[in-house]
Amino acid sequence: MKYRTLLLLLILTLPWVPSLSAQSAGRVMGYYERGRQLQTMQDYFGATEQFQEALLVNPSFGDAWFALGECAYALEDYELSLNYLENAEKYSRANGDIMTMRGFNYIGQQKIFQAETLFRAVLKTYPNSIDARFGLAELDLLHGRISGAEQTYLEALKRQSDNRRILLALALVSANLGKLDVAENYITQAMRYHSGEPQVHYLASYLSLERGDLADAETHARFAITLNENFHRAYELLLLALYRREQYRDVVDICDRQIAQGHHSVSVWQIKALSQAKLGQGAESLATLYQAQSIFPEDELIRSECEKAALKLLPADDPRRRELAAFHVRQAQSYGASFLQYQAQSEYETALRLNPADMDAHRGYAETFRASGFMERYLGELKIVAAQGTPTTAEKDRLEGLESMLADSLDRKWGVDQERLDKKRWKIGVYYRAEKVQLRHEDADRIVADALASLLSGTLNISAVTMGQPVTLYSSAFREARTANLHYFSVLSYEENDRELTLTGTVYSGKTGAEIKKIAVYRTGSNRLSSALLYSANAIRSILPVYGRVIARNSTEVLVDLGRTEGITVGTEFTVIKSGALVPRDAAPGMKYNDADRLGSITVSTVGDGIAAGFFKPAGFYDRLGMQDVAAPLARAPVAPDGNNTPTAAAPGSAPTAGESAALPSAPIFEASVEPMVPITVTDVRSPENPVQRLPAILDLLKSVW
């Protein structure tokens, strides 16, 4: 009451405020105080309405303009916030609060240098400014300098030892640095001074989830909700705690209430579907996912889970499967228009898994083969259209022409069905860590690992498996991979927020456990998950040499199960190695064999899309060639300045020599024509080497307890 009286007197007496009656001033203060209460409860829309009502009565009320700027910032409308702050500056006495809030908006706009300049200018004038130190700490976090941010927060704590924001920030930073006891101490202090504030209990719940104390996480989340029944992010933590405690019916009930109240967040819909699946309610879970993907059409994890459930539970002619497939046809057409044939193929393949009878998908899929020059595969898709659909006159003419042109193709000459050849060569394990609490999608790590394994398995020569549960130790992942006789295994970590994601991992040898390759990909914008998965799949493929097998023989002419799709051309030379003698290197990408197991060579004379024929030349006097012996393409020399690119015997360091191991090149020889790397698109403006522009999960959490 005393505060209200003083502020009312200030409004009435300040010279820059137009003359107001006591009644009008009281109305202004009523709107303003209600707005501040709503702002404290994180109801920024309601608060904005109250502040605007205050300004209708008194357009010169600087504090209301500033509060509007804070609300706009919280809603990530940075340009509008800056406009409000200009008015606040016009009607308020000079102070550092407006400058620091402007700095936070600059961070949101990626104007890092301007933000830092403002924060440091504020500290020169106001050395004890807590907000300016918060701004500098946020910049440290954006740069990945967690320890630097910790020191900045500690400097602020010296000035206000009971400040809620400082204590919560230090708790988060300490937990991020692995100082769990220190983090617990800061939370205890925050509870001592601010036990009645829901943000404190929210963060206490989050940290309890991080350390696996589910009962404590549930208690704090419920307390936060008791203090603020509209604190929806606290509900999301409560749902996580209950889900992990296997209280699935409670989760579904709370989700239904949240949805009925209009709280349509991705996390609520997804965890409801997960809980229904755990309860054995597969049809209900699918219905929830199907509705969720229509509400959040750009959420790729929701769509991935929905499609997986649809494939499992629905017949092929179900209209929901047709609708899900249609989305991928549209995506494929968009990629095709940008000449991204590999991505278009991937989308068409997904569409055809969902709806095998989709003739538009078959036509588009066929067109990707025609554009890539794979006429035999193009013919195969046209035959499907002719057999199952209603081909156009042009398609009938094209089909007849291709039949005539390919009458003497290799598959017909040798009586081989290229589509039925088993080309699987590599067994890859895709494992994942669940180190962080995923606030947007529960089980996101598992979903991403499953999606990557599915994408890898779609490659002709790879069979990928997942573990089904997170790995806590490297040793358990290695043991699993070695027991399953996998060639390689990868361990992934995934982090996301509303706008961006980071997918990192390490690929190891399944035999020795040695590290082979690191993967790190950062994406933002639309289709960021599919882009990250394609990049990661290609990174794994890049360490897998292409090799085939001898599948038929007629005198000295032999047939190999590699063709144009693997980059084989007329004149390609293969080294032929005894079956079982070619093995992965122990601690590096690539493969090796003993020279004594080299049987000879093959020079390709005719090539099909999936097979190639050539003449075999034995390595010695005796012809020891057998079916299923390995045919490994020799490396090619780099293109000479004059454009000459004559095949050579082997790449440097890989030529077989008597009595020693010979190693194949450590990456696919024809990598560019096998799996082109995903090009960087306009959404990938932030590179993995520039972490300054990313928003770490810790900052998202800090904003939630602002």
Side-chain angles (χ1 to χ4, degrees), residues 639-685:
V639 177
D642 62 358
N644 184 28
N645 191 27
T646 306
T648 60
S654 65
T657 56
E660 297 182 359
S661 293
L664 289 176
S666 60
I669 299 162
F670 303 98
E671 180 181 346
S673 59
V674 180
E675 304 291 359
M677 297 300 287
V678 181
I680 294 178
T681 66
V682 292
T683 62
D684 299 317
V685 294

Side-chain angles (χ1 to χ4, degrees), residues 370-403:
R370 187 200 64 78
S372 302
F374 302 139
M375 305 310 290
E376 292 165 13
R377 299 199 68 180
Y378 178 47
L379 174 60
E381 288 300 314
L382 285 182
K383 286 182 176 179
I384 294 175
V385 173
Q388 300 181 13
T390 53
T392 64
T393 302
E395 287 171 340
K396 291 178 181 178
D397 292 342
R398 201 172 297 128
L399 180 61
E400 184 178 342
L402 282 172
E403 288 275 18

Side-chain angles (χ1 to χ4, degrees), residues 474-547:
Y474 156 81
S475 57
S476 61
F478 178 32
R479 184 182 302 109
E480 178 77 14
R482 181 151 180 153
T483 302
N485 292 318
L486 302 182
H487 295 107
Y488 298 103
F489 68 96
S490 60
V491 181
L492 306 176
S493 293
Y494 179 75
E495 186 175 334
E496 66 172 357
N497 58 39
D498 290 353
R499 296 177 180 273
E500 51 199 25
L501 64 83
T502 304
L503 180 59
T504 59
T506 306
V507 182
Y508 301 94
S509 165
K511 179 183 177 182
T512 66
E515 181 181 312
I516 303 297
K517 186 181 182 70
K518 285 189 177 296
I519 301 170
V521 55
Y522 167 78
R523 289 290 185 269
T524 185
S526 299
N527 305 316
R528 53 187 175 271
L529 178 59
S530 56
S531 175
L533 289 171
L534 282 169
Y535 180 94
S536 301
N538 282 324
I540 293 174
R541 291 175 183 130
S542 72
I543 68 171
L544 307 177
V546 173
Y547 70 94

